[in-house]
Amino acid sequence: MSKEPAMPSAAHSPAASIGLQLGLRANWRQFSLLVVVNAFVGAMVGMERSILPAIAEQEFKLVAHTAILAFIVVFGLAKAITNYFAGRFSDAYGRKIVLVIGWLIATPVPFLLMWAPSWNWILLANVFLGVSQGLTWSTTVIMKIDLAGPKNRGTAMGVNEFAGYFAVGAAALATGWIAAKYGLRPQPFYLGVAFVVIGLLLSV
């Protein structure tokens, strides 16, 4: 994953500015909700990782290694550029609205992957996914740090990364199993539709 943006200090966080008590214990409900949200963020990445190379080779007759490189590079560039602005946007417009916008940008991704008539559509889906990840993943990190406070910043980051990457692996395993049982498209990407809907509703 690309480098995350510099995080705003807890002293200037929304929680501190309105006098809320910082810490994991004091904010465990909100913190736990953000952990679940970030798990769905990670699942959006995982859903395509195990089957896009097979789609590239079997449906679009591309060399698998070239296809893997292409969609990962497109995703990485989009995410890296968005990461640069995510922290600034969350300070300027608010954490929640940036998180929700990130999920809205992810909405077309599973449908593009289901119905893509060419590999360029797959690459376009990964542009949307990269932008979405840059907003959602980064914003959940910032929000957790806001709640946890400076003393628990490392714990907040660790829990965030664990939830996200565990979900990446679990979603890749699930979509791979579905693809093996029912076919490469569209069935595996029905999970993506569920991830977007649930992630968006939880964020709202």
Side-chain angles (χ1 to χ4, degrees):
M1 304 291 278
S2 55
K3 183 179 179 182
E4 299 297 343
M7 300 305 170
S9 67
H12 300 290
S13 71
S17 65
I18 60 176
L20 293 179
Q21 184 179 357
L22 299 179
L24 297 176
R25 182 174 298 178
N27 299 287
W28 70 269
R29 292 180 179 85
Q30 185 78 354
F31 190 90
S32 300
L33 176 60
L34 288 167
V35 170
V36 174
V37 169
N38 199 59
F40 283 103
V41 173
M44 287 296 295
V45 176
M47 72 168 177
E48 66 171 25
R49 285 296 186 256
S50 62
I51 56 178
L52 280 193
I55 290 174
E57 190 172 18
Q58 296 179 28
E59 295 192 13
F60 300 117
K61 310 305 178 185
L62 300 175
V63 177
H65 294 298
T66 303
I68 292 170
L69 179 63
F71 83 83
I72 290 177
V73 167
V74 167
F75 169 84
L77 286 174
K79 184 176 187 297
I81 293 170
T82 310
N83 274 343
Y84 180 77
F85 295 102
R88 297 182 182 184
F89 289 160
S90 66
D91 280 342
Y93 304 109
R95 276 57 161 148
K96 180 176 176 178
I97 191 169
V98 174
L99 180 60
V100 170
I101 288 172
W103 276 112
L104 290 173
I105 292 172
T107 301
V109 171
F111 300 102
L112 287 170
L113 295 174
M114 279 185 216
W115 301 323
S118 72
W119 187 247
N120 287 335
W121 285 58
I122 301 290
L123 298 181
L124 177 62
N126 275 272
V127 172
F128 281 110
L129 185 60
V131 173
S132 170
Q133 290 282 307
L135 296 176
T136 53
W137 191 295
S138 299
T139 304
T140 57
V141 172
I142 294 170
M143 294 170 82
K144 288 187 184 75
I145 291 174
D146 285 343
L147 293 171
K151 292 183 179 179
N152 295 302
R153 178 175 294 185
T155 301
M157 287 286 292
V159 171
N160 189 82
E161 298 304 290
F162 171 79
Y165 286 111
F166 179 84
V168 170
L173 180 64
T175 53
W177 181 84
I178 293 170
K181 191 171 181 65
Y182 299 105
L184 292 173
R185 295 199 292 174
Q187 289 88 345
F189 299 112
Y190 293 157
L191 281 181
V193 177
F195 296 155
V196 168
V197 170
I198 297 171
L200 179 59
L201 289 176
L202 289 175
S203 298
V204 170

